[in-house]
């Protein structure tokens, strides 16, 4: 980068010394503590960049001292004050501001701002000189035209070349400003992320600014089985689950692009990869598109490699570029990786799933083993532990109809519901694509485990989720399988192992398969085929724990035998359209549950109790008029902008009741036939 002259105007010797260190690499530095001396320097030197303290930076004080080609960077400790001072300067001046910190790692933004301001000043000065040059050339053209025609033609060609150069510089400047705004937006997202879900919202932004077809972010991990290896948090834009990691993990010593960067800490930027030994099998078989070019950089923290960022296939105008990624792309990715490393460390990506913010499978297993072994060491009768596996019913149908982005949003919402449904001492993780795994503590028997699991199931059933009306039975539900860790194993003198825990999880998986209607998993052949088991229920694996009490090994559905409030009409948790009149016009909402006596709806507006409503309810293909009265209204859980409204039907005719009954019968028909949707 070309260098220029820099003037530091600051009363603090400490701040001047700090800024001076940053400025040495980009130009010749002059410094002063007062305005009079600064004026003397300005008169004798052309200043490209002025770094001025906030106390001296008001436009009224410095007005007329600097050319409009001089860049101004205002420094201080109060960001609000800096912004207000910067806003005083007219638009013809390039003005930026940066807060000062005496912690070296906090001043990366200051160095970047100084470099950008210097480059802007030099570009603008060059453009101004070119403009003067163009004026001189035009005069020379007029004088020479009358003398020699050949000279005139020569000058004309020179003029065109200079014009093209000037346009190119202006375009570069405009593009530079746009890229700066994009980078600032990404950095704001990174540093305002309070969990892994928010952080990974920037993945698509990074891919766009680099103009890449795909992006992968790895974190360096180590285990007894694999040794040092790279665990992909995101693989080619996709959020991986516990079961998906193995096929995408490169070990540290592998002939592999990412592994090579993690091993040696050197960048890779290649656009002719076909004969490179580091094109491992996973790049060939598992990327969404054939690999044409790759850019790969290390993620560093305190001079140690903690991960790798790589992008695939440089895109230009919607097509893959033959030239691959540029040096500018490399610089941008390097800069972003520095910020990513800080966020990765703060958010503990080793343990948490980036999509849902829940524990990862491996971290979950470790914490469960710690819980069990800790309980064994204390030798206190605190009950057993239940392992519960839950799975979203007809999730493939939801994804296929509404798209993967909607599917991801659903998994995030489900994670919040499930987390709020368990106790503080319980554990929860995302175990597979749409599978969740629980460890419930202090459980005395399988019935108690099923009872707690049934509460979780009901919380999901009774919550409204986007697009649930297009699911079977017009509702979004989950099925669960539960099993108990044997009491004899808890009292054993040896610590429980990971393999033992996996076997217990497999028992919960068998119970889950039964709950979802996969009859082939029944333990006893003569039990198969007796009836079709529908989804949205809890099944339990009554295994070795019950054998200790002379009970047979079996899987069977849980029947809840607790007191429930008696209701006049059975509720159906189904979502269908409902219209109501308000201020003379119809508004549309959706039901959460429905019965012969009324409905529960979700609304963006608040209602008051005893309010009367004219309703139109869409039941299948029929639109039916009802009269209703609001019986309760409250804020929806975790949805501060929406309300749950309870409505009681009034003056319902016999024919309308018959339409409702027929609609409920159509929902119940799902229980008597195999579903057309995949498990």
């Amino acid at each position: 980068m070309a260098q220029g002259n820099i003037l530091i105007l600051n009363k603090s010797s400490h701040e001047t010394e700090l800024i001076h260190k940053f400025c040495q690499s980009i130009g010749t530095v002059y410094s002063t503590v007062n305005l009079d001396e600064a004026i003397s320097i300005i008169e004798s030197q052309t200043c490209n960049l002025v770094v001025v303290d906030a106390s001296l930076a008001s436009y009224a004080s410095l007005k007329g001292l600097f050319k409009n080609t001089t860049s101004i960077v205002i420094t201080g400790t109060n960001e609000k004050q800096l912004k207000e001072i910067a806003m005083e300067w007219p638009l013809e001046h390039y003005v930026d501001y940066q807060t000062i910190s005496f912690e070296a790692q906090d001043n990366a933004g200051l160095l970047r701002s100084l470099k950008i301001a210097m480059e802007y000043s030099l570009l603008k000065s060059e453009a101004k000189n070119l403009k003067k040059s163009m004026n001189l050339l035009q005069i020379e053209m007029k004088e020479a035209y009358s003398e020699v025609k050949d000279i005139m033609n020569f000058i004309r060609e020179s003029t065109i070349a200079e014009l093209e150069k000037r346009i190119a510089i202006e375009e570069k400047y405009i593009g530079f400003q746009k890229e700066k705004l994009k980078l600032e937006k990404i950095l704001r997202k990174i540093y305002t992320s309070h969990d892994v879900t928010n952080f990974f919202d920037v993945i698509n932004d990074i891919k766009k600014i680099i103009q890449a077809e795909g992006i992968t972010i790895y974190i360096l991990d180590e285990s007894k089985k694999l040794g040092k290896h790279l665990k992909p948090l995101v693989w080619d834009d996709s959020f991986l689950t516990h079961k998906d990691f193995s096929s995408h993990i490169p070990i540290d010593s592998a002939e592999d692009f990412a592994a090579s960067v993690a091993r040696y800490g050197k960048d890779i930027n290649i656009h002719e990869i076909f004969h490179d030994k580091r094109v491992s099998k996973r790049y060939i078989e598992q990327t969404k598109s054939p690999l044409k070019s790759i850019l790969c950089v290390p993620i560093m923290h305190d001079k140690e490699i903690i991960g790798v960022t790589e992008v695939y296939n440089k895109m230009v105008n919607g097509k893959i570029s033959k030239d691959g990624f540029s040096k500018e792309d490399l610089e941008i990715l390097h800069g972003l990786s520095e910020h990513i490393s800080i966020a990765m460390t703060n958010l503990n990506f080793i343990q948490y799933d980036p999509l849902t913010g829940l524990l990862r499978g491996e971290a979950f297993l470790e914490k469960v083993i710690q819980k069990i072994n800790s309980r064994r060491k204390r030798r206190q009768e605190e009950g057993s532990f239940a392992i519960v596996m839950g799975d979203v019913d007809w999730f493939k149908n939801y994804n296929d109809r509404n798209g993967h982005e909607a599917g991801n949003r659903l998994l995030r919402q489900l994670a919040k519901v499930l987390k709020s449904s368990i106790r503080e001492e319980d554990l929860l993780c995302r175990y597979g694509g749409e599978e969740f795994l629980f460890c419930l503590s202090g459980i005395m028997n399988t019935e108690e485990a099923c009872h707690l699991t049934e509460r979780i199931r009901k919380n999901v059933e009774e919550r409204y989720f986007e697009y649930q009306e297009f699911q079977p039975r017009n509702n979004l539900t989950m099925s669960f399988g539960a099993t108990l860790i044997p009491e004899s194993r808890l009292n054993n003198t040896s610590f429980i192992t990971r393999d033992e825990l996996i076997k217990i999880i497999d028992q919960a998986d068998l119970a889950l398969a039964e709950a979802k209607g996969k009859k082939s998993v029944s333990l006893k052949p003569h039990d198969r085929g007796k009836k079709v088991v529908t989804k949205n229920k809890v099944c339990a694996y009554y295994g070795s724990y019950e054998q200790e009490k002379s009970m047979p090994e079996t899987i069977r559905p849980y029947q809840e035998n607790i007191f429930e409030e008696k209701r006049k009409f059975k509720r159906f948790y189904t979502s269908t359209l409902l219209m109501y009149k308000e201020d003379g016009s119809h508004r549309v909402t959706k039901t959460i549950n429905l019965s012969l006596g009324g409905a529960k709806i979700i609304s963006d507006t608040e209602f008051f109790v005893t309010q009367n409503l004219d309703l139109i309810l869409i039941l299948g293909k029929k639109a039916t008029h009802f009269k209703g009265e609001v019986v309760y209204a409250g804020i929806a859980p975790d949805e501060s902008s929406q309300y749950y409204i309870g409505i009681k039907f009034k003056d319902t005719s016999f024919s309308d009741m018959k339409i409702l009954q027929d609609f409920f019968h159509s929902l119940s028909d799902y229980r008597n036939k195999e579903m057309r949707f995949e498990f």
Side-chain angles (χ1 to χ4, degrees):
M1 185 180 83
Q3 296 195 336
N5 294 326
I6 303 167
L7 172 61
I8 301 173
L9 180 53
N10 196 308
K11 295 179 180 179
S12 169
S13 59
H14 293 295
E15 290 186 8
T16 300
E17 183 180 354
L18 176 64
I19 297 168
H20 194 282
K21 290 180 181 178
F22 284 102
C23 291
Q24 283 179 326
S25 62
I26 59 174
T28 303
V29 184
Y30 302 88
S31 61
T32 180
V33 298
N34 61 70
L35 193 57
D36 292 337
E37 190 175 345
I39 294 171
S40 177
I41 295 172
I42 293 166
E43 290 175 349
S44 61
Q45 300 291 339
T46 299
C47 292
N48 301 98
L49 171 60
V50 176
V51 186
V52 57
D53 180 70
S55 63
L56 302 169
S58 70
Y59 177 68
S61 300
L62 302 179
K63 180 179 178 182
L65 293 182
F66 307 114
K67 300 176 182 178
N68 60 9
T69 56
T70 300
S71 296
I72 312 294
V73 175
I74 304 171
T75 61
T77 57
N78 187 323
E79 186 174 358
K80 183 179 179 182
Q81 180 193 19
L82 293 176
K83 184 176 180 181
E84 290 174 352
I85 295 171
M87 293 297 291
E88 295 176 3
W89 285 76
L91 294 176
E92 66 188 51
H93 291 277
Y94 176 94
V95 181
D96 199 358
Y97 62 91
Q98 281 292 326
T99 56
I100 292 289
S101 171
F102 289 97
E103 297 296 332
Q105 65 271 22
D106 296 336
N107 286 308
L110 174 60
L111 178 58
R112 192 179 305 105
S113 292
L114 295 173
K115 287 182 177 179
I116 291 170
M118 176 61 76
E119 187 172 346
Y120 174 87
S121 175
L122 294 173
L123 284 173
K124 195 164 184 181
S125 295
E126 186 178 356
K128 191 171 183 179
N129 291 334
L130 283 173
K131 186 175 181 180
K132 291 179 180 178
S133 176
M134 287 302 304
N135 291 334
L136 291 174
L137 284 172
Q138 289 174 0
I139 294 171
E140 291 176 8
M141 284 173 59
K142 292 178 181 179
E143 294 175 349
Y145 185 81
S146 61
E147 299 176 5
V148 184
K149 188 175 181 180
D150 292 339
I151 295 176
M152 182 189 67
N153 291 336
F154 173 78
I155 294 175
R156 182 180 298 151
E157 291 172 2
S158 299
T159 304
I160 292 171
E162 292 293 338
L163 280 170
E164 290 175 346
K165 183 178 179 181
R166 177 182 176 185
I167 291 169
I169 291 173
E170 291 291 338
E171 288 179 346
K172 183 178 180 181
Y173 166 72
I174 293 169
F176 173 80
Q177 289 293 93
K178 290 180 178 178
E179 293 301 302
K180 180 189 173 191
L181 292 174
K182 289 178 183 177
L183 283 169
E184 288 175 350
K185 181 181 178 182
I186 291 173
L187 294 179
R188 279 196 298 271
K189 283 186 177 181
I190 289 175
Y191 284 105
T192 55
S193 299
H194 58 272
D195 59 32
V196 289
T197 301
N198 291 341
F199 173 79
F200 274 88
D201 285 338
V202 306
I203 292 298
N204 197 46
D205 294 331
I206 295 174
K207 191 178 74 169
K208 284 182 179 178
I209 200 168
I210 301 291
Q211 292 182 292
E213 189 178 30
I215 182 170
T216 295
I217 295 181
Y218 306 87
I219 191 166
L220 194 61
D221 201 1
E222 188 169 3
S223 67
K224 291 182 180 179
K225 184 177 180 180
L226 297 175
K228 278 191 175 182
H229 61 276
L230 287 170
K231 181 182 291 185
L233 302 173
V234 173
W235 167 258
D236 202 7
D237 303 345
S238 299
F239 296 94
L240 297 186
T241 64
H242 176 69
K243 295 181 178 179
D244 299 328
F245 280 122
S246 58
S247 60
H248 300 289
I249 289 177
I251 61 174
D252 182 63
S253 59
E255 283 286 355
D256 181 279
F257 286 124
S260 177
V261 171
R263 195 160 57 245
Y264 302 115
K266 294 182 178 179
D267 310 323
I268 290 176
N269 187 5
I270 299 177
H271 64 277
E272 295 179 353
I273 67 169
F274 305 105
H275 303 295
D276 198 304
K277 293 180 180 179
R278 295 168 295 183
V279 186
S280 57
K281 185 178 179 181
R282 63 195 192 92
Y283 290 111
I284 297 171
E285 296 181 354
Q286 297 166 14
T287 50
K288 294 174 184 175
S289 301
L291 195 61
K292 303 294 184 183
S293 57
I294 185 170
L295 174 59
C296 198
V297 302
I299 300 174
M300 309 290 293
H301 182 70
D302 290 338
K303 298 183 180 179
E304 290 186 10
I305 298 171
I306 64 169
V308 172
T309 304
E310 63 184 12
V311 288
Y312 317 119
N313 296 344
K314 175 72 174 182
M315 305 296 292
V316 178
N317 298 325
K319 296 181 180 180
I320 297 175
S321 170
K322 295 180 180 179
D323 299 326
F325 295 95
S326 66
K327 290 182 180 179
E328 287 78 9
D329 295 328
L330 176 60
E331 291 177 3
I332 291 172
L333 196 59
H334 252 304
L336 290 172
S337 292
E338 291 177 14
H339 299 283
I340 288 172
S341 71
I342 297 171
M344 287 173 66
T345 304
N346 293 340
L347 296 174
N348 193 4
F349 284 174
I350 289 287
Q351 289 194 319
Y352 293 95
D353 169 54
L355 180 63
T356 61
L358 301 178
L359 282 170
R360 290 183 176 280
E362 288 296 334
F364 174 85
L365 296 179
E366 290 175 8
K367 288 183 180 292
V368 173
I369 290 172
Q370 289 172 5
K371 265 182 170 285
I372 294 172
N373 291 335
S374 174
R375 186 262 194 199
R376 188 195 64 78
K377 286 193 294 184
R378 291 195 302 269
R379 296 186 179 183
Q380 296 177 355
E381 294 297 328
E382 301 172 345
S384 183
F385 297 91
I387 298 297
V388 178
M389 184 174 286
D391 185 273
V392 182
D393 296 331
W394 294 290
F395 185 71
K396 185 178 185 301
N397 173 71
Y398 190 96
N399 247 7
D400 290 347
R401 187 199 177 278
N402 307 309
H404 290 290
E405 285 299 321
N408 285 343
R409 289 197 301 273
L410 172 65
L411 292 175
R412 292 180 186 181
Q413 292 169 355
L414 272 172
K416 291 181 180 179
V417 174
L418 297 176
K419 195 170 183 179
S420 66
S421 301
I422 61 175
R423 302 161 300 175
E424 187 176 348
E425 64 268 26
D426 299 329
L427 296 174
L428 168 63
C429 82
R430 183 187 178 203
Y431 196 65
E434 68 274 15
E435 288 182 342
F436 297 86
L437 198 58
F438 303 76
C439 175
L440 307 180
S441 302
I443 304 300
M444 302 309 298
N445 52 50
T446 306
E447 290 299 314
E448 184 180 353
C450 289
H451 174 65
L452 292 176
T453 306
E454 177 67 12
R455 289 184 182 178
I456 299 171
R457 185 199 66 78
K458 283 186 176 179
N459 283 347
V460 175
E461 181 184 52
E462 295 176 6
R463 178 64 62 91
Y464 175 79
F465 297 96
E466 185 182 28
Y467 305 130
Q468 70 174 36
E469 58 270 20
F470 302 108
Q471 289 293 95
R473 292 195 290 271
N474 309 113
N475 197 12
L476 194 288
T477 59
M478 287 183 67
S479 300
F480 296 86
T483 190
L484 210 64
I485 296 177
E487 188 174 345
S488 61
R489 186 62 194 85
L490 293 174
N491 297 328
N492 196 299
T493 55
S494 63
F495 289 121
I496 193 167
T497 66
R498 185 182 184 279
D499 290 339
E500 286 180 291
L501 184 57
I502 291 294
K503 288 180 181 178
I504 295 170
I505 291 172
D506 289 341
Q507 293 173 359
D509 198 11
L510 287 173
L512 171 63
E514 186 74 10
K516 290 183 74 67
K518 298 180 180 180
K519 295 170 290 180
S520 60
V521 303
S522 179
L523 293 177
K524 296 183 179 181
H526 60 269
D527 285 339
R528 299 175 186 171
K530 285 186 176 180
K531 61 180 180 179
V532 175
V533 182
T534 57
K535 304 175 194 293
N536 187 27
K537 62 174 56 180
V538 177
C539 282
Y541 181 98
Y542 293 83
S544 52
Y545 181 85
E546 279 71 23
Q547 282 182 337
E548 296 169 6
K549 300 182 171 74
S550 301
M551 293 181 66
E553 186 179 67
T554 185
I555 293 176
R556 60 178 184 265
Y558 168 67
Q559 299 294 330
E560 190 173 27
N561 294 316
I562 62 173
F563 172 79
E564 291 187 1
E565 179 187 353
K566 292 184 178 180
R567 299 182 181 277
K568 187 175 181 181
F569 302 108
K570 178 182 177 182
R571 284 182 175 179
F572 291 83
Y573 293 98
T574 182
S575 182
T576 186
L577 292 178
L578 180 143
M579 291 183 285
Y580 61 92
K581 272 190 176 182
E582 186 177 69
D583 299 329
S585 61
H586 280 97
R587 295 182 178 271
V588 180
T589 185
K590 297 170 184 176
T591 63
I592 297 173
N593 62 53
L594 194 59
S595 73
L596 290 174
K600 182 179 181 181
I601 67 170
I602 189 165
S603 173
D604 294 327
T605 57
E606 190 174 6
F607 289 70
F608 58 87
V609 177
T610 71
Q611 181 177 350
N612 291 315
L613 298 171
D614 286 322
L615 309 172
I616 299 176
L617 194 59
I618 308 301
L619 303 172
K621 297 181 179 180
K622 296 180 179 179
T624 306
H625 289 266
F626 288 88
K627 296 285 187 181
E629 178 185 351
V630 176
V631 292
Y632 69 84
I635 297 174
D638 301 328
E639 296 286 351
S640 58
S641 62
Q642 292 185 312
Y643 301 88
Y644 280 173
I645 312 298
I647 299 173
K648 179 178 72 175
F649 295 146
K650 297 172 60 178
D651 306 325
T652 309
S653 67
F654 176 80
S655 60
D656 290 341
M657 291 284 278
K658 182 67 169 58
I659 293 172
L660 275 170
Q661 287 176 331
D662 290 343
F663 178 69
F664 296 147
H665 283 312
S666 71
L667 298 178
S668 300
D669 284 344
Y670 282 105
R671 300 180 183 273
N672 304 316
K673 63 182 179 180
E674 292 285 345
M675 302 306 299
R676 296 189 298 272
F677 302 94
E678 297 184 23
F679 294 100

